[in-house]
Amino acid sequence: MADQPLDFGTAKACIRRSRMIVSTDSGPRHVAAALGKPLVTLFGPMLPVWSENPTQQAVNMVLDLDCIGCRKRVCPFGHHRCMRDLTVDMVYAEVVGLLEVPCEAASG
């Protein structure tokens, strides 16, 4: 049962209760944007320009690689660096940056 994905209503409820979201360019990202949640999006083979989003507090993480923007699900070069090279430390730094903004505003 733990291997089953959340149904849409449950996923939406979880996102609504979240303080922020880290996601790929997928459905949860767009739900979070619609709900006005701060958002860190991990872009790999897709470029952010192809799925712009009106979220005010958002960071689009995309690496500067020659192959960025191939739009392929399976890496044609076999390395998938566009996603593998987005490190936990890089993502964590962006999450902390987004979480500090509301905290500072609330304490001022």
Side-chain angles (χ1 to χ4, degrees), residues 24-73:
T24 58
D25 180 28
S26 60
R29 170 188 182 242
H30 300 287
V31 171
L35 295 173
K37 298 296 179 178
L39 179 56
V40 174
T41 304
L42 312 178
F43 282 90
M46 292 289 289
L47 291 173
V49 70
W50 294 330
S51 71
E52 284 299 326
N53 186 314
T55 300
Q56 294 297 319
Q57 283 187 288
V59 173
N60 292 331
M61 297 189 69
V62 60
L63 297 172
D64 185 19
L65 300 170
D66 290 340
C67 56
I68 284 294
C70 74
R71 300 173 74 171
K72 307 267 187 208
R73 183 173 287 271

Side-chain angles (χ1 to χ4, degrees), residues 87-103:
T87 67
V88 171
D89 290 338
M90 292 165 67
V91 175
Y92 179 76
E94 297 297 347
V95 167
V96 168
L98 276 179
L99 289 178
E100 285 178 350
V101 172
C103 292

